[in-house]
Amino acid sequence: MLANLFSVELWERFSFYGMQGILLYYMYYSVTDGGLGIDIAVATSLVGAYGGGVYLSTILAAWLADRVLGSERVLFYSAAVVMLGHIALAVLPGTPGLAAGLIMIALGSGGVKANATSLVGTLYAEKDERRDAGFSIFYMGINLGALVGPLLTGLAQVELGFHYGFGLAAVGMAIGLVQYGMTRKYLPETAHEVANPLPKQQYLKVGIYAAAAVVVIVLAVVFGILSAGNLAVVMAVVAILAAVAYFVIILGSKKVNKLERRRVYSFMPLFIASAAFWALFQQQFTVVALYADTSLNRTIFGWTMPPSWVQSINPIFIIIFAAVFAAVWTKLGDRQPSSPLKFALGLAVMGLAFLAFIPFSGGGANSTPLLALVGILLLFTFAELFISPIGLSVATKLAPEVFRTQMVALFFLSVSLGTTLAGWLAQFYNPETEVSYFLFSGGTAIVLGIALAAATPAIKKLMSGVR
């Protein structure tokens, strides 16, 4: 069953990153070039809002799994929704296809992301020594999909057109869905269980709330309150309000003791650091994608590489260096940096990555050497490995006993907020003024990293023994 879940996640990531690799270009390329001709600032904002929506939907998916359907069924239905979203992008023309496709993929990807990992956990007993190896194999599938997806969809887009690239993403998801559908019955019984079933008498009330939320969203769109131009800002506000609500609920609960409350306070600066990190890192799909299309020299021995192929560089480095970082932390043991200090290092390295763009500024169109961008994305990867694997771990370690799921939701909210901000910030990027953009972004990240490092002793004190 591990091989099955590995393959499902591989194909889902293949379709997700394959589609995302060409999404921005589809939005802002002219109609004559097969795109929609959307303003670049609006297009990057939409990419950020869509990415933020993926992480927001993980919270909804986790609730559905825990209270209504169970992880196994939510994963299956979510994968089907993802496939339908890719089909919508492939066959429906114009903005209706874009809107329908992105909404379905955002909702479905959140469901897959939230439940695939959970199902891997059901394959092993809590103290089974194979657990860590199983998760390592599973995450290898994630990165293999992220590596291959942009390569194939990007090639299809260049040679045949955008809709063929989206269609290829749909085929990939269909393969994973069919395979999972044929073997899902072999999952352990715990995978089919609903952990905390919602009482039947509450179904109507929840349904009314859900319908009301949909009506509010539709009315906001109809009356122009919610539009493509302000969607990223609205998504960011929603993520911030949800995070504040979570913190208030957790800190105000009588079920949380004094020690647990101190640890929740210690998570607050890490939440801010995580959001800041993802606001820069997720610009791989906005600013870096634009840069690859306009400023990068993609000619190799007379052949021009599709710009989407740049999205496969980071997964290559993750596959190479994730095990190296894990080995270093294991070897250092108690001498390894604390979680707040790792976050600080990650922010500083992320800042250096943005500053590394500056020496290549002003060289004209398609002038930056490919190896230079490879080196910059290596810094992206190092920064990611300082923060991303640590984030969920520290969230669970600092969580009060009765709020473990909510603390994980808080971490995903920081990713959602950062991803949305990555799209919003990209509107300020302009090749003519890129030095100031990279200087501000990189400098801010480094300053935040230094501040977090300086605050680490106080944060460690609040963490009360958690590293």
Side-chain angles (χ1 to χ4, degrees):
M1 282 311 302
L2 176 62
N4 183 36
L5 291 175
F6 168 92
S7 297
V8 170
E9 186 67 2
L10 186 154
W11 286 112
E12 191 274 334
R13 293 292 90 182
F14 169 93
S15 66
F16 179 85
Y17 284 105
M19 180 279 293
Q20 189 142 318
I22 61 176
L23 176 62
L24 181 62
Y25 307 132
Y26 177 58
M27 288 187 187
Y28 80 78
Y29 275 20
S30 66
V31 175
T32 55
D33 290 329
L36 300 179
I38 298 174
D39 178 75
I40 289 180
V42 175
T44 54
S45 177
L46 285 173
V47 170
Y50 154 73
V54 170
Y55 289 95
L56 275 179
S57 69
T58 60
I59 299 170
L60 173 62
W63 183 87
L64 284 173
D66 287 345
R67 304 302 306 273
V68 182
L69 296 171
S71 292
E72 188 278 321
R73 277 183 288 180
V74 172
L75 175 60
F76 180 77
Y77 297 143
S78 297
V81 171
V82 170
M83 182 185 68
L84 292 174
H86 288 301
I87 292 173
L89 280 170
V91 302
L92 296 179
T95 52
L98 178 70
L102 292 188
I103 290 171
M104 286 192 283
I105 295 170
L107 291 172
S109 292
V112 174
K113 184 181 290 292
N115 291 285
T117 303
S118 175
L119 287 178
V120 174
T122 67
L123 302 179
Y124 304 98
E126 185 175 348
K127 296 183 179 180
D128 192 328
E129 294 181 356
R130 300 172 299 165
R131 172 181 282 263
D132 287 349
F135 272 98
S136 297
I137 294 170
F138 177 71
Y139 285 116
M140 184 67 72
I142 293 176
N143 286 292
L144 284 174
L147 165 62
V148 178
L151 296 179
L152 295 185
T153 58
L155 191 61
Q157 175 255 311
V158 169
E159 298 295 331
L160 301 170
F162 282 103
H163 293 287
Y164 286 92
F166 295 136
L168 186 58
V171 170
M173 191 65 255
I175 293 172
L177 183 62
V178 169
Q179 178 184 340
Y180 178 64
M182 293 173 64
T183 58
R184 56 193 290 224
K185 61 184 177 182
Y186 299 116
L187 282 165
E189 190 59 36
T190 52
H192 303 277
E193 293 175 355
V194 179
N196 182 22
L198 183 72
K200 290 290 179 66
Q201 59 268 31
Q202 293 188 23
Y203 274 35
L204 179 60
K205 181 173 71 173
V206 171
I208 292 173
Y209 286 151
V214 172
V215 169
V216 168
I217 293 171
V218 170
L219 290 176
V221 172
V222 170
F223 289 103
I225 300 172
L226 185 64
S227 66
N230 67 8
L231 183 59
V233 174
V234 172
M235 292 288 290
V237 170
V238 169
I240 291 171
L241 291 177
V244 170
Y246 266 121
F247 275 119
V248 169
I249 291 170
I250 294 171
L251 291 171
S253 174
K254 295 180 180 179
K255 297 179 181 179
V256 176
N257 61 43
K258 185 177 180 180
L259 175 64
E260 291 176 328
R261 192 168 284 110
R262 283 167 58 88
R263 288 175 174 169
V264 173
Y265 279 118
S266 76
F267 186 69
M268 289 182 175
L270 301 184
F271 176 93
I272 296 170
S274 176
F277 165 76
W278 292 108
L280 296 187
F281 181 82
Q282 294 289 63
Q283 289 188 41
Q284 284 188 86
F285 305 110
T286 54
V287 169
V288 175
L290 282 171
Y291 193 90
D293 189 36
T294 59
S295 300
L296 184 66
N297 181 358
R298 294 180 279 108
T299 301
I300 305 171
F301 301 116
W303 173 74
T304 302
M305 180 185 84
S308 64
W309 282 27
V310 166
Q311 306 300 333
S312 293
I313 296 173
N314 172 249
I316 293 174
F317 285 142
I318 288 291
I319 291 170
I320 295 171
F321 289 104
V324 175
F325 269 67
V328 169
W329 301 144
T330 300
K331 186 172 180 62
L332 288 175
D334 292 341
R335 294 178 290 115
Q336 67 180 282
S338 63
S339 294
L341 191 54
K342 288 178 182 176
F343 270 58
L345 289 169
L347 275 173
V349 173
M350 197 70 242
L352 290 174
F354 269 71
L355 295 182
F357 280 103
I358 294 177
F360 305 99
S361 297
N366 304 112
S367 61
T368 302
L370 179 58
L371 280 178
L373 187 57
V374 169
I376 291 171
L377 290 176
L378 177 61
L379 292 176
F380 270 60
T381 302
F382 288 163
E384 179 184 6
L385 290 172
F386 273 119
I387 291 182
S388 184
I390 312 303
L392 279 174
S393 175
V394 75
T396 57
K397 287 189 288 187
L398 293 174
E401 189 63 36
V402 296
F403 285 105
R404 291 195 181 277
T405 303
Q406 283 85 342
M407 285 288 279
V408 172
L410 270 172
F411 178 77
F412 278 126
L413 280 172
S414 74
V415 182
S416 174
L417 175 59
T419 303
T420 304
L421 290 176
W424 179 77
L425 287 169
Q427 68 182 301
F428 301 107
Y429 171 76
N430 187 314
E432 297 178 2
T433 58
E434 64 183 10
V435 172
S436 58
Y437 182 85
F438 291 135
L439 185 62
F440 173 79
S441 300
T444 301
I446 292 173
V447 169
L448 287 174
I450 293 171
L452 186 59
T456 290
I459 296 171
K460 286 174 64 178
K461 189 174 180 180
L462 285 173
M463 292 171 74
S464 305
V466 172
R467 285 187 57 84

